[in-house]
Amino acid sequence: NAGVMQNPRHLVRRRGQEARLRCSPMKGHSHVYWYRQLPEEGLKFMVYLQKENIIDESGMPKERFSAEFPKEGPSILRIQQVVRGDSAAYFCASQRQGEETQYFGPGTRLLVL
Amino acid sequence: GENVEQHPSTLSVQEGDSAVIKCTYSDSASNYFPWYKQELGKRPQLIIDIRSNVGEKKDQRIAVTLNKTAKHFSLHITETQPEDSAVYFCAARNLGTSYGKLTFGQGTILTVHP
C-alpha cells in the first residue's frame, strides 16, 4: 500500500507565477489536510477537504490560495501570483474515514525567486 | 482556537540518557494528542499518540503521559540513541464531529550525542 504521494517534490517559481501542488492520499483515505511549514517552524494547518468538499479552510489565506479534492484524481493546492513569503514546505496528510491518524506525504518544497 | 506550546525548543543529551519534551494546550475540547518525528528534509512520522481517556501510553522506549486537568502532555524517550536525533512535534486535536485539523507545537530539536 503506497503512502501519501506528493508532487512535485521541489518547485521553483518566480514572483507572480502560479504554483500547483498535488497530493494523492493513501488508498481508501477520503480526508485530506494541507499544512505549511516555514523554515525552522512548526506545521500550520491550511485546509481540510473531503471528496468534492472543503470542510475547513480557516487556515488558508483568503487571497491567492485555493484548494480542491475532486471526485477523481489528486487534491490540488493552488497558489496564484506567488510572493517570496510563500516559500515553504507544503505537506499534505490523509486519513481514513472514522480513524484518527493522519499520514503525511513527503512534502513539496516551494521556492519563490 | 487551540494553541499548543512546546518546550524546550532544543534538547541535547548523551546516548543512553532519557529525554523529556513537554506540551501544553489551551482547548479543553481537544481529546487526541499525537507526537510526530521529523528527520531533516523528510515527512513527519507518527511515533505515538494518546487519547484523553488514557493517562499514559508506552511503546518500547517511548512513552506519553497526559494530564487533562492541567492540559499538558509529555513525551518520554528512554535509553536514547543517535538515531533518535530529529525534530519532534506534539499536536492536539478535537476528534469531534468533524475530525478536524491538528494544531502543532513549535517543535523540539533533539540531538543525541554518541
Side-chain angles (χ1 to χ4, degrees):
Chain A
N1 186 11
V4 180
M5 311 269 282
Q6 287 187 251
N7 67 82
R9 296 291 306 278
H10 299 273
L11 183 60
V12 179
R13 284 287 178 267
R14 297 194 179 278
R15 281 178 296 168
Q17 292 185 318
E18 178 179 289
R20 277 184 172 243
L21 287 61
R22 286 176 288 277
C23 170
S24 296
M26 288 176 70
K27 187 177 181 181
H29 289 198
S30 57
H31 298 224
V32 166
Y33 304 78
W34 285 92
Y35 296 86
R36 177 164 63 178
Q37 186 174 36
L38 294 169
E40 299 184 10
E41 290 192 14
L43 295 107
K44 298 280 193 253
F45 167 77
M46 299 182 73
V47 62
Y48 164 33
L49 311 102
Q50 295 179 22
K51 283 286 187 182
E52 300 185 278
N53 286 304
I54 295 176
I55 308 301
D56 180 0
E57 57 183 345
S58 61
M60 196 159 66
K62 298 279 187 290
E63 307 284 330
R64 302 187 298 108
F65 285 73
S66 62
E68 63 177 10
F69 188 16
K71 188 176 180 181
E72 300 291 338
S75 175
I76 306 284
L77 179 67
R78 183 182 177 205
I79 311 172
Q80 295 178 288
Q81 298 171 355
V82 295
V83 301
R84 288 215 175 108
D86 296 332
S87 295
Y90 292 82
F91 289 92
C92 80
S94 75
Q95 177 197 298
R96 191 184 297 275
Q97 171 74 24
E99 295 184 357
E100 58 209 15
T101 303
Q102 290 186 15
Y103 296 89
F104 281 81
T108 293
R109 280 147 186 86
L110 172 66
L111 175 62
V112 180
L113 301 176
Chain B
E2 175 65 275
N3 183 51
V4 177
E5 297 286 334
Q6 182 172 345
H7 299 280
S9 56
T10 61
L11 180 58
S12 185
V13 300
Q14 288 296 128
E15 183 177 1
D17 288 350
S18 294
V20 180
I21 303 170
K22 299 182 179 182
C23 289
T24 60
Y25 61 100
S26 61
D27 188 354
S28 55
S30 289
N31 54 12
Y32 173 69
F33 307 94
W35 286 86
Y36 284 85
K37 175 184 180 182
Q38 186 179 30
E39 297 176 358
L40 190 63
K42 300 287 182 64
R43 73 184 78 195
Q45 292 201 300
L46 179 73
I47 56 171
I48 196 166
D49 57 11
I50 191 168
R51 279 196 176 235
S52 61
N53 58 351
V54 175
E56 184 174 357
K57 185 176 178 180
K58 191 173 181 181
D59 182 5
Q60 299 183 339
R61 297 186 297 109
I62 295 173
V64 56
T65 58
L66 171 65
N67 183 327
K68 274 183 62 178
T69 304
K71 288 197 260 193
H72 66 70
F73 56 113
S74 300
L75 177 71
H76 305 253
I77 306 174
T78 58
E79 300 170 25
T80 53
Q81 301 167 3
E83 49 266 39
D84 293 330
S85 297
V87 182
Y88 290 80
F89 292 98
C90 63
R93 186 181 189 195
N94 179 359
L95 291 178
T97 54
S98 64
Y99 269 73
K101 63 187 178 186
L102 287 165
T103 301
F104 284 88
Q106 301 90 329
T108 297
I109 302 171
L110 173 64
T111 304
V112 180
H113 298 281

